[in-house]
Amino acid sequence: MFFTCGPNEAMVVSGFCRSPPVMVAGGRVFVLPCIQQIQRISLNTLTLNVKSEKVYTRHGVPISVTGIAQVKIQGQNKEMLAAACQMFLGKTEAEIAHIALETLEGHQRAIMAHMTVEEIYKDRQKFSEQVFKVASSDLVNMGISVVSYTLKDIHDDQDYLHSLGKARTAQVQKDARIGEAEAKRDAGIREAKAKQEKVSAQYLSEIEMAKAQRDYELKKAAYDIEVNTRRAQADLAYQLQVAKTKQQIEEQ
């Protein structure tokens, strides 16, 4: 008989002429009834809500963390699929999810214990990457790959995180006030500089105008002197000529 399965599951055929067992992920396989056995294992992606309640961090402050993880049995990798079949064949999705969840929660608690509250609170990406890295290296031996892990929530019962938030808010407000004061200062400096440049430009313009006026006056004076000189010379020449003419008349 032919048996088929979708891409979200794998079939394992064991028994007569099937040593080692044949594993088929998303396909079909021929099975001899009665002398061969077929089993199925789910390859669906499982969403796990990883909760760690009241874990003492490196400085002894208890906090609770909730992470969201996506895991699945890797059907395309034959070695991982074989490992998963050895671990989970015959188990339900809920049982597989429970085992993966316990493993992830243990690693999450271990990493929380080696970090401070401030490190987890301020750098969630770093915490998520560490959990993802450590959990992936462990679950891969079970044939399970961690698709993703995200830190969803951090809270505590002693208002420690609230105090951190208040301190951060105060720091942000302080930075905002400093930034506003610096902006006003820079604006005042720019305004004063603009005024100074405007006044300097005005003075330079007035100086250029005065120079032009002076050059005009000097040239006009020079022209006037030349004109008056020529006029005086002409008058004298006229008077001299009149005198010469008069003298000639008298002599005649």
Side-chain angles (χ1 to χ4, degrees), residues 18-37:
R18 298 296 189 181
S19 182
V22 174
M23 296 174 293
V24 178
R28 68 176 184 169
V29 66
F30 183 76
V31 179
L32 296 174
C34 300
I35 61 175
Q36 291 182 341
Q37 181 184 10

Side-chain angles (χ1 to χ4, degrees), residues 236-252:
L236 289 175
Y238 174 74
Q239 293 176 7
L240 179 60
Q241 186 61 41
V242 170
K244 286 180 179 181
T245 302
K246 185 177 180 181
Q247 184 179 3
Q248 289 175 358
I249 292 171
E250 289 177 353
E251 288 176 353
Q252 290 177 0

Side-chain angles (χ1 to χ4, degrees), residues 171-213:
Q171 181 64 40
V172 170
Q173 292 176 347
K174 174 186 172 184
D175 294 342
R177 290 193 296 269
I178 292 174
E180 183 179 1
E182 289 178 348
K184 288 182 178 179
R185 178 201 64 193
D186 295 342
I189 292 173
R190 288 194 296 269
E191 184 178 358
K193 186 176 180 180
K195 288 182 178 180
Q196 181 181 5
E197 292 175 351
K198 179 181 178 181
V199 172
S200 298
Q202 184 177 354
Y203 287 162
L204 290 174
S205 177
E206 291 178 356
I207 290 172
E208 292 300 324
M209 290 176 63
K211 286 182 179 179
Q213 184 67 25

Side-chain angles (χ1 to χ4, degrees), residues 117-187:
V117 178
E118 289 79 4
E119 289 173 339
I120 299 172
Y121 180 73
K122 294 179 181 179
D123 197 348
R124 297 188 175 203
Q125 182 66 27
K126 178 182 177 182
F127 177 81
S128 298
E129 289 174 354
Q130 289 193 21
V131 175
F132 179 86
K133 181 179 179 181
V134 176
S136 295
S137 63
D138 194 7
L139 288 173
V140 71
N141 297 324
M142 302 180 188
I144 297 176
S145 65
V146 181
V147 180
S148 67
Y149 172 86
T150 305
L151 179 58
K152 178 183 178 182
D153 180 54
I154 307 173
H155 65 275
D156 70 313
D157 298 331
Q158 300 180 2
D159 286 338
Y160 190 88
L161 292 172
H162 181 65
S163 299
L164 286 179
K166 289 176 64 177
R168 178 58 182 163
T169 301
Q171 181 64 40
V172 170
Q173 292 176 347
K174 174 186 172 184
D175 294 342
R177 290 193 296 269
I178 292 174
E180 183 179 1
E182 289 178 348
K184 288 182 178 179
R185 178 201 64 193
D186 295 342

